[in-house]
Amino acid sequence: MITQVKKQNLYEELFQKSFSQSTQPAWLKDLRLKAFEYFSQNGFPTPEDEEWKYTNTAPITREQFSLSVEKKPSTQLENLIYKETQRSYLVFFNGQFIRELSNLEAASNIEIFSFSEALKTNNEILEEKLTKQVQYQRNGFTALNTAFIENGLFLHIPENQKVSVPIQILFVSTENVIATPRILILVAKGAEATLIESYLRSEQARYFTNAVIEISLEDRATLKHHRIQRESHNAFHITTTDVEIGEESIYDSTNITLGAKWSRHEISAKFTKEKAEVFVDGLYLTSGEQFADTHSVIDHLHPNCKSRQNYKGIVDGKSRVVFNGKIFVREGAKGTDAHQSNKNLLLSSNARIDTKPQLEIFNDDVQCSHGATVGQLEEEEIFYLMSRGLPASLAKNLLTYGFAEEIINKIELESVKATLDEALLNRLSVRL
Amino acid sequence: MTKALEILANREYKYGFVTQIETETIPKGLNEETIKLISKKKDEPEWMLEFRLKAYRQWLKMKEPRWGNFEYPKIDFQDITYYAAPKKKPKKNSLEEVDPELLRTFEKLGIPLSEQKMLANVAVDAVFDSVSVATTFKEKLKKIGVIFMPISEAIREYPDLVREYLGSVVPINDNFYAALNSAVFSDGSFVYVPKGVRCPMELSTYFRINTQESGQFERTLIIAEEGAYVAYNEGCTAPQFDTNQLHAAVVELIALDNAEIKYSTVQNWYAGDENGVGGIYNFVTKRGACRGKNSKISWTQVETGSAITWKYPSVILQGDNSIGEFYSVALTNNKQVADTGTKMIHIGKNTRSTIVSKGIAAGYSNNSYRGLVKILPKAENARNYTQCDSMLIGDKCRANTFPYIEVMNNTAKVEHEATTSRISEEQLFYLQQRGIKQEDAVSLIINGFCKEVFRELPMEYAVEAQKLLGLKLEGSVG
Amino acid sequence: MLLEIKNLQAGIEGIKILKGLNLKVEKGEVHAIMGPNGSGKSTLAKVIAGHPGYEVFEGEILYEGKNLLEMEPDERAREGIFMAFQYPIEIPGVSNSQFLRIAYNEKMKHLGLEELDPIEFNDLLKEKAKLVEMGSDFLKRSVNEGFSGGEKKRNEILQMAVLEPKLAILDETDSGLDIDALRIVANGVNSLRSKENAIILVTHYQRLLNYIEPDYVHVLADGRIVKSGNKELALKLEEKGYDWIKEAA
């Protein structure tokens, strides 16, 4: 109990430091205060909570972090920017949005605001979303993120704007820091955009990213969202992504998990109107002593919507993976078409996977299914490649590569794909 | 779809009658004295009483579980009668001495017990409230070494056997209701099949709750020695009361090397009325241990009754090459709740498990599959295949699937598939166009949906199961 | 008179598709109903069979002098009306032979005739299956599940053979069939043709009529029969297309 109090004192000190300097409007200060109170009382979730059954938060509880003192990274960011986004990237450093480091020359038809700007120009939208979409009471992590809201990002794709270049949001953190990035994305009616959310860090720094991303698609909007998590192998990472999808809109996301010592991605997509489509796909590739958790929820509240979840995992070393995918079909959501698949390859005898695909159906006019597998490569396939002269290990690695490619191929941006391919091939020691 | 719903909703509960018979009950409530009284009534040895008291003391420390995907009112455990028995004490060896009213009751339930009418090739143990009233073919079975008798008798006659195995698969503190059962269980069946014996007939127990305020806490223990085989069936009914009754049974199965146990259940406890008033709370712990190599335990269940069914017949696959199977049909209607599934715990090498679950939800009911497949680090080459299908009839019911898959060995192969469907207008019309009446069409489609499970049931039970689902398709199984 | 349709006005979801259709069919006759897409051919078939999704706004259908529209779809079937579906439905877990025996016995019961047990019925079924060149493995499989398009259509004709309808309506049975399957299906139908029954062929193409020769050909356009004739009419349609009729009408 004594250590528990100490931990809270640590965040208490950080919180007071951040909060005392705040010049934010009353509603936001109030929200932050309440969120911190919630965190102080509840702490991080424990395995007794069904949603955290297989996820031990103790490793984070044990760590101590501090707030950033640097305002700018000491290293160059250029090599972290994808070729396609050289003139359309936004940078978060230690959890804060830094406009001076960002470049939007090629995407002049979108609007971006730091939270301090948005509180002047779009205060109402901010209040609405920050208080109602991802509520701090969801768990200790969202509470902590909310308590530390400072300079977040509000990204607005105006009505009918088709953004021709992809936009990269780059997150960089330094040793010892707790980063709590917060992003609001609003894709207005008829607008279209592609987003790459990338957590990149080449060095072996130890830090904690606790991000919350709230996305709203109005009617007939399209957002392609690629999330690449390649944090340092000593990092702790959790992102809560919440998406609301309007009529005839399409949200298509691909979530790649490669990095971090301990990570969790919670993504929930909720249909707010009819006839929309959601694709939530992902790949996790873990080794060493990594722990990677994915919790995905698709909530069919309205009729005639379609959803697909396709997650694949390659689990090696002593790593542990958790997958929990849920489909809810609510009363009245007629004509729902929802499918989910989770396939896993366990490559090592010390690796472990816990998967829990879930269906909760309240309506008979639906087409729903899910499937989950845990296993190895097909003997027949290995044999086929070997019969063409490949050594067994190469045959297996090649097939493993093929298994992962289905997801990676969804990312249409060449340089993003190339770096992922490279990472995958390195991991599997395959040369093509 | 309303039509299909009506057809299901209008099924009558044929077993809702009450037998007018003088019953001996002990006062309501539970304390150490109650347990001592039950033990005394059953003339039990001291170790058995100790077992009960130990369980009771554990139970006192435990909390009533609330984790299911449903709500149920708090049960007042002091408002239950823990022992009820027909007054004339039957002498089990001669049926003539069994109260004719009881014989008539079981006959009405389709379970003739008298010598002339006995089901050929099925030995039956009939349990009425807290006691076993008759066991057929007991002597015939004894000749080949098979022991089939009420567990209360077995405790007296074969204490060493019972003592060795009782509580060895489901420990007394396993869960709240298992602890309660261990403290107060009244009767149930005991089966012992010796080494190398294939039990030549199916063994059946028929459970009947008659008394309104009594709970039923039966205990079943089945032991199959090396190379033995036994098929065991159980059936359950209860009268229609507007209060809820608690049924908290514990079933333990033990299969040693090369042994096989096939356990089938057709559960049709009273489900309550269309407003959810009355009905049985069926909170049961069933578990089998495949202790020996090449052993096999197979659970087949058809769950159509009870207000709430909460059970997970499980298999612990300890022996190398052992096999666990679970085949289930759960039909819920009106305000019924079923939260059922299985646990397959793979410990030994080359262990295999198969799960086939069919859930049919109608009315305002809530039908969940919940299952765990766990592959432990030493379970080399373990295999599991799971198929969970749900059918929804109407748009006010719920069907849920909660599979938990935990894999700690990289040579394992685990596959899980789940689908959700409904009876479509087009399917109904197609069958009607071929001249099949609508209600038969509904039955036919449901029967097809459940086929993989029905074919695992023994013949009489398959027919019974179809009848329970409102099906009129004699001879179409197989 | 086996079937008499008078001023039939019917449709789906409030939309009128048939707009005053008249047709008389006698025993022993084969009628072909042809027409462009959307003319109401399939609607006619489904209304006769009693599909619950279709509404009748006006008119009447007499079958053996009885009011057909008052009968449930299964009653119609037991009275001898059979529709071969354009898209046969899959019934998972119910075997073809099981399904057919139930349907057959329902009909027998209705007619006050003796029902067949599974063994007797199997003999009958095997005999009938030869007609459409279906092996016994088909009979064991679930109804239409995993069948190819051609297999499904052959299965429809097998059902027709077993149920021996007085009036068979084949709804686009030729669509999606290759030439071999078409021949098998047509042979099956022809061998079931008799003085005691009538057949209505609903088809878009003349092709089927090369195999099953109709006595009458009707052209359906915009919900009415706009032209009737003998098989020569079908050939003329093949040559000139449906526009020719539309213009003439």
Side-chain angles (χ1 to χ4, degrees):
Chain A
M1 276 326 281
I2 293 160
T3 52
Q4 185 69 24
V5 172
K6 257 190 185 164
K7 294 283 142 47
Q8 284 173 9
N9 281 346
L10 167 78
Y11 285 107
E12 175 88 47
E13 206 178 294
L14 297 182
F15 176 71
Q16 293 307 346
K17 196 172 143 200
S18 156
F19 193 73
S20 63
Q21 292 163 5
S22 165
T23 53
Q24 292 161 330
W27 69 263
L28 184 51
K29 285 175 101 168
D30 185 48
L31 179 71
R32 288 181 58 184
L33 207 55
K34 279 187 185 149
F36 193 73
E37 270 168 28
Y38 177 90
F39 176 75
S40 300
Q41 276 165 21
N42 298 282
F44 293 122
T46 59
E48 279 94 72
D49 180 342
E50 177 69 21
E51 293 304 312
W52 296 80
K53 186 178 163 73
Y54 296 112
T55 309
N56 186 2
T57 57
I60 298 180
T61 318
R62 283 199 294 266
E63 299 283 329
Q64 300 202 345
F65 302 101
S66 60
L67 290 173
S68 167
V69 280
E70 307 158 77
K71 289 290 170 217
K72 274 184 186 167
S74 51
T75 50
Q76 291 295 311
L77 298 177
E78 270 94 61
N79 51 351
L80 301 177
I81 306 297
Y82 293 111
K83 198 170 104 256
E84 291 86 347
T85 58
Q86 293 293 331
R87 292 164 63 234
S88 55
Y89 62 88
L90 302 163
V91 176
F92 272 76
F93 177 63
N94 284 336
Q96 307 301 327
F97 172 53
I98 314 284
R99 185 186 273 274
E100 301 81 72
L101 296 175
S102 307
N103 177 344
L104 265 190
E105 286 168 26
S108 53
N109 55 345
I110 69 167
E111 297 174 0
I112 57 153
F113 306 90
S114 69
F115 274 4
S116 52
E117 293 159 352
L119 286 166
K120 295 179 191 124
T121 53
N122 292 283
N123 185 43
E124 278 161 37
I125 298 179
L126 232 58
E127 184 172 356
E128 166 82 17
K129 292 291 170 189
L130 293 183
T131 56
K132 291 193 183 133
Q133 193 168 356
V134 174
Q135 298 190 337
Y136 66 82
Q137 304 95 321
R138 192 181 284 201
N139 58 51
F141 291 100
T142 54
L144 200 61
N145 174 285
T146 306
F148 283 93
I149 289 179
E150 282 189 38
N151 231 2
L153 167 70
F154 173 46
L155 177 63
H156 180 224
I157 320 284
E159 218 169 292
N160 295 322
Q161 291 300 320
K162 318 259 189 263
V163 187
S164 55
V165 292
I167 300 153
Q168 181 181 2
I169 305 180
L170 173 66
F171 299 81
V172 183
S173 293
T174 53
E175 183 70 26
N176 241 7
V177 161
I178 169 172
T180 56
R182 183 90 171 207
I183 301 178
L184 284 188
I185 297 169
L186 180 62
V187 188
K189 276 182 194 153
E192 285 175 19
T194 299
L195 196 68
I196 309 162
E197 172 193 344
S198 58
Y199 301 86
L200 303 177
R201 185 70 209 180
S202 48
E203 294 157 40
Q204 294 304 304
R206 185 199 69 105
Y207 53 87
F208 173 25
T209 304
N210 176 8
V212 173
I213 299 177
E214 287 148 298
I215 301 172
S216 300
L217 275 70
E218 291 184 351
D219 298 348
R220 295 175 304 287
T222 300
L223 181 66
K224 275 196 186 167
H225 186 174
H226 307 302
R227 173 189 145 83
I228 319 287
Q229 193 268 87
R230 295 185 68 183
E231 302 267 34
S232 120
H233 278 288
N234 289 315
F236 299 86
H237 176 105
I238 180 165
T239 298
T240 305
T241 310
D242 192 281
V243 194
E244 296 179 344
I245 302 120
E247 190 160 310
E248 289 179 43
S249 288
I250 299 169
Y251 175 74
D252 183 350
S253 83
T254 312
N255 302 282
I256 311 290
T257 298
L258 290 168
K261 178 180 183 174
W262 183 104
S263 73
R264 170 151 163 146
H265 183 218
E266 279 193 26
I267 177 164
S268 42
K270 186 162 81 189
F271 293 101
T272 58
K273 286 183 179 173
E274 300 187 25
K275 295 179 202 151
E277 294 180 12
V278 159
F279 302 86
V280 176
D281 299 335
L283 172 70
Y284 37 86
L285 191 64
T286 59
S287 61
E289 300 202 347
Q290 279 184 289
F291 171 81
D293 174 359
T294 298
H295 268 62
S296 143
V297 180
I298 310 277
D299 200 344
H300 285 263
L301 287 149
H302 293 275
N304 302 314
C305 291
K306 170 179 162 181
S307 69
R308 295 285 181 273
Q309 296 171 80
N310 184 14
Y311 270 88
K312 285 188 157 187
I314 300 169
V315 188
D316 203 352
K318 289 183 181 169
S319 67
R320 271 197 61 189
V321 152
V322 173
F323 176 81
N324 184 187
K326 283 186 202 152
I327 300 173
F328 289 104
V329 180
R330 309 283 177 180
E331 216 176 314
K334 294 201 174 294
T336 292
D337 176 1
H339 298 279
Q340 181 198 87
S341 160
N342 174 230
K343 292 186 177 152
N344 300 282
L345 290 179
L346 263 186
L347 297 188
S348 127
S349 56
N350 295 313
R352 167 171 179 172
I353 173 133
D354 297 298
T355 172
K356 190 183 162 208
Q358 247 171 272
L359 294 175
E360 294 192 42
I361 316 284
F362 297 70
N363 195 299
D364 64 340
D365 182 12
V366 297
Q367 282 198 346
C368 288
S369 69
H370 71 209
T373 60
V374 179
Q376 311 83 42
L377 298 163
E378 292 295 326
E379 296 291 333
E380 278 299 297
E381 292 175 0
I382 297 169
F383 171 72
Y384 182 76
L385 292 185
M386 288 172 73
S387 75
R388 298 295 181 268
L390 275 69
S393 63
L394 177 59
K396 285 181 191 167
N397 286 339
L398 196 60
L399 289 168
T400 308
Y401 171 79
F403 174 82
E405 275 299 281
E406 186 197 349
I407 305 295
I408 292 179
N409 277 336
K410 263 196 73 192
I411 300 173
E412 291 152 350
L413 305 165
E414 279 312 317
S415 74
V416 182
K417 234 177 83 175
T419 58
L420 289 175
D421 269 349
E422 196 192 321
L424 179 63
L425 293 171
N426 276 339
R427 189 70 71 84
L428 299 170
S429 1
V430 175
R431 251 179 269 152
L432 285 184
Chain B
M1 221 36 40
T2 48
K3 189 77 185 176
L5 198 56
E6 266 170 43
I7 289 162
L8 276 171
N10 293 336
R11 296 177 314 146
E12 227 181 302
Y13 189 68
K14 287 189 294 186
Y15 312 101
F17 64 89
V18 182
T19 305
Q20 295 307 328
I21 188 164
E22 254 193 286
T23 311
E24 181 199 358
T25 58
I26 62 172
K28 281 183 187 174
L30 183 58
N31 52 42
E32 294 206 359
E33 293 313 308
T34 326
I35 290 161
K36 285 177 189 160
L37 188 61
I38 294 171
S39 188
K40 197 172 166 214
K41 283 204 174 291
K42 298 199 161 284
D43 204 6
E44 286 176 353
E46 188 59 28
W47 63 266
M48 194 62 238
L49 176 62
E50 283 307 312
F51 178 97
R52 290 177 181 276
L53 289 173
K54 206 170 141 198
Y56 174 69
R57 288 165 196 153
Q58 292 276 354
W59 178 75
L60 285 176
K61 292 184 214 151
M62 297 168 95
K63 266 200 242 159
E64 206 182 332
R66 286 282 159 190
W67 50 264
N69 188 30
F70 55 87
E71 301 280 322
Y72 69 96
K74 203 163 165 51
I75 296 171
D76 182 356
F77 291 96
Q78 298 303 332
D79 195 36
I80 293 172
T81 302
Y82 289 87
Y83 184 87
K87 219 162 200 170
K88 269 181 214 164
K89 206 174 179 190
K91 283 183 189 157
K92 316 287 170 20
N93 291 336
S94 65
L95 279 159
E96 293 79 59
E97 293 185 38
V98 177
D99 188 322
E101 190 57 40
L102 284 176
L103 292 180
R104 268 198 295 279
T105 298
F106 281 98
E107 205 166 322
K108 215 163 148 186
L109 297 169
I111 317 291
L113 297 172
S114 61
E115 296 288 350
Q116 307 89 332
K117 294 178 188 164
M118 260 192 262
L119 296 171
N121 219 33
V122 181
V124 179
D125 184 19
V127 177
F128 190 86
D129 285 336
S130 300
V131 294
S132 168
V133 295
T135 309
T136 62
F137 293 110
K138 212 163 112 183
E139 290 309 310
K140 188 177 166 193
L141 288 166
K142 205 174 169 182
K143 278 184 198 135
I144 51 162
V146 174
I147 306 170
F148 178 44
M149 59 167 57
I151 198 161
S152 54
E153 277 176 50
I155 288 168
R156 291 191 299 268
E157 289 180 34
Y158 302 94
D160 295 343
L161 261 183
V162 177
R163 204 172 170 178
E164 182 181 350
Y165 289 105
L166 191 74
S168 74
V169 185
V170 179
I172 52 174
N173 60 351
D174 187 80
N175 66 68
F176 184 84
Y177 290 104
L180 179 63
N181 174 287
S182 301
V184 305
F185 74 86
S186 40
D187 219 333
S189 298
F190 175 77
V191 176
Y192 175 81
V193 187
K195 196 169 165 179
V197 172
R198 268 188 82 85
C199 187
M201 53 174 66
E202 284 175 6
L203 307 183
S204 263
T205 301
Y206 195 92
F207 295 101
R208 172 77 176 168
I209 297 180
N210 192 58
T211 311
Q212 181 156 8
E213 258 105 30
S214 74
Q216 186 154 348
F217 305 92
E218 85 264 3
R219 184 93 186 190
T220 298
L221 178 60
I222 300 178
I223 302 150
E225 288 273 11
E226 273 174 50
Y229 168 87
V230 64
Y232 178 91
N233 317 317
E234 73 177 357
C236 333
T237 58
Q240 257 165 289
F241 292 126
D242 55 9
T243 50
N244 297 108
Q245 288 158 285
L246 179 63
H247 172 251
V250 171
V251 176
E252 296 178 279
L253 314 181
I254 294 118
L256 302 181
D257 287 359
N258 302 305
E260 179 177 351
I261 303 174
K262 209 167 153 42
Y263 193 108
S264 309
T265 305
V266 174
Q267 184 265 109
N268 188 26
W269 296 116
Y270 177 55
D273 67 9
E274 67 273 19
N275 299 314
V277 176
I280 302 283
Y281 291 153
N282 188 34
F283 300 164
V284 172
T285 306
K286 289 184 169 175
R287 196 174 302 157
C290 281
R291 295 230 170 114
K293 54 177 194 282
N294 308 317
S295 57
K296 180 176 175 183
I297 289 179
S298 177
W299 297 102
T300 305
Q301 62 173 23
V302 176
E303 303 285 321
T304 65
S306 297
I308 301 175
T309 294
W310 202 2
K311 68 179 240 197
Y312 312 92
S314 303
V315 185
I316 299 166
L317 296 150
Q318 240 168 319
D320 291 349
N321 312 316
S322 60
I323 297 173
E325 293 176 338
F326 174 73
Y327 297 94
S328 170
V329 167
L331 172 85
T332 54
N333 194 8
N334 297 323
K335 300 211 165 152
Q336 270 179 283
V337 174
D339 197 307
T340 185
T342 185
K343 291 183 201 172
M344 294 290 175
I345 314 293
H346 292 254
I347 299 171
K349 295 189 179 74
N350 302 315
T351 45
R352 279 179 287 153
S353 62
T354 304
I355 300 171
V356 177
S357 163
K358 306 279 180 176
I360 303 152
Y364 292 83
S365 69
N366 182 346
N367 197 320
S368 300
Y369 167 81
R370 190 185 302 274
L372 169 68
V373 174
K374 188 168 190 156
I375 315 283
L376 284 143
K378 291 190 177 148
E380 295 288 316
N381 295 313
R383 296 284 177 270
N384 163 266
Y385 174 75
T386 302
Q387 170 80 46
C388 293
D389 297 319
S390 310
M391 180 179 273
L392 290 99
I393 300 174
D395 58 5
K396 297 282 182 281
C397 50
R398 299 172 53 172
N400 310 311
T401 315
F402 304 108
Y404 294 72
I405 302 164
E406 304 177 6
V407 183
M408 289 165 242
N409 184 301
N410 70 324
T411 58
K413 273 192 183 162
V414 178
E415 269 179 82
H416 170 97
E417 284 175 50
T419 64
T420 301
S421 62
R422 63 168 173 170
I423 300 179
S424 74
E425 290 289 343
E426 289 302 316
Q427 271 182 327
L428 272 186
F429 174 65
Y430 187 71
L431 292 172
Q432 271 187 285
Q433 211 298 310
R434 299 302 184 249
I436 297 168
K437 287 189 206 83
Q438 205 170 28
E439 58 184 274
D440 294 341
V442 170
S443 301
L444 192 61
I445 292 166
I446 293 179
N447 182 38
F449 178 73
C450 299
K451 192 171 191 172
E452 289 153 278
V453 176
F454 286 168
R455 74 169 169 232
E456 296 297 322
L457 285 171
M459 192 57 187
E460 302 79 21
Y461 273 63
V463 172
E464 174 71 12
Q466 289 187 333
K467 277 190 199 147
L468 285 179
L469 298 193
L471 309 174
K472 300 171 185 168
L473 303 162
E474 277 129 51
S476 63
V477 164
Chain C
M1 184 72 57
L2 183 67
L3 182 78
E4 187 172 10
I5 302 177
K6 294 182 201 165
N7 185 33
L8 182 66
Q9 304 193 27
I12 189 163
E13 288 169 357
I15 300 158
K16 202 180 272 187
I17 298 168
L18 297 178
K19 299 169 181 170
L21 183 139
N22 297 292
L23 182 69
K24 286 180 186 176
V25 178
E26 295 278 7
K27 277 186 185 172
E29 293 176 353
V30 174
H31 291 247
I33 309 274
M34 303 186 69
N37 289 331
S39 58
K41 302 187 299 289
S42 280
T43 300
L44 175 63
K46 285 176 177 155
V47 169
I48 296 172
H51 191 289
Y54 289 79
E55 280 174 83
V56 174
F57 305 112
E58 253 188 89
E60 60 177 341
I61 304 179
L62 298 175
Y63 174 73
E64 294 185 311
K66 286 175 284 193
N67 183 353
L68 190 70
L69 296 177
E70 281 180 358
M71 291 155 76
E72 290 294 315
D74 49 323
E75 274 179 83
R76 299 184 199 200
R78 290 192 293 270
E79 287 287 343
I81 292 180
F82 178 90
M83 177 169 101
F85 283 49
Q86 188 179 357
Y87 305 106
I89 310 295
E90 298 181 3
I91 320 276
V94 178
S95 79
N96 229 350
S97 57
Q98 205 180 74
F99 159 63
L100 278 169
R101 186 168 64 85
I102 293 163
Y104 179 84
N105 280 340
E106 283 296 332
K107 183 171 172 163
M108 291 298 113
K109 222 183 326 184
H110 180 71
L111 298 176
L113 298 172
E114 203 181 323
E115 296 178 40
L116 295 185
D117 68 30
I119 296 159
E120 294 166 327
F121 183 74
N122 250 346
D123 295 341
L124 173 102
L125 192 55
K126 269 189 207 148
E127 209 46 51
K128 301 284 186 185
K130 282 184 198 155
L131 208 64
V132 284
E133 302 175 24
M134 273 168 96
S136 54
D137 55 320
F138 270 101
L139 304 173
K140 285 182 202 140
R141 280 162 61 183
S142 292
V143 180
N144 291 327
E145 199 180 31
F147 284 28
S148 71
E151 288 166 350
K152 283 182 180 172
K153 295 297 171 78
R154 273 152 65 191
N155 200 21
E156 293 293 286
I157 304 308
L158 170 66
Q159 293 177 27
M160 175 177 162
V162 170
L163 297 173
E164 297 181 328
K166 289 183 211 159
L167 175 65
I169 306 148
L170 311 187
D171 187 8
E172 308 259 4
T173 296
D174 51 330
S175 70
L177 290 186
D178 64 29
I179 203 77
D180 289 328
L182 184 65
R183 182 188 50 78
I184 294 169
V185 164
N187 284 349
V189 174
N190 283 330
S191 61
L192 296 171
R193 194 171 169 173
S194 82
K195 277 182 193 152
E196 292 308 309
N197 62 29
I199 295 170
I200 298 176
L201 300 168
V202 171
T203 180
H204 187 77
Y205 301 103
Q206 189 269 339
R207 186 174 76 147
L208 178 67
L209 308 184
N210 290 336
Y211 295 88
I212 308 170
E213 221 170 90
D215 301 303
Y216 302 96
V217 173
H218 309 279
V219 181
L220 196 58
D222 195 27
R224 286 188 197 88
I225 289 176
V226 291
K227 198 164 181 67
S228 295
N230 56 17
K231 64 173 184 169
E232 303 303 320
L233 177 59
L235 290 169
K236 212 162 177 179
L237 281 173
E238 176 83 351
E239 189 191 324
K240 297 191 173 181
Y242 287 112
D243 289 343
W244 159 71
I245 294 281
K246 279 186 198 162
E247 281 156 27

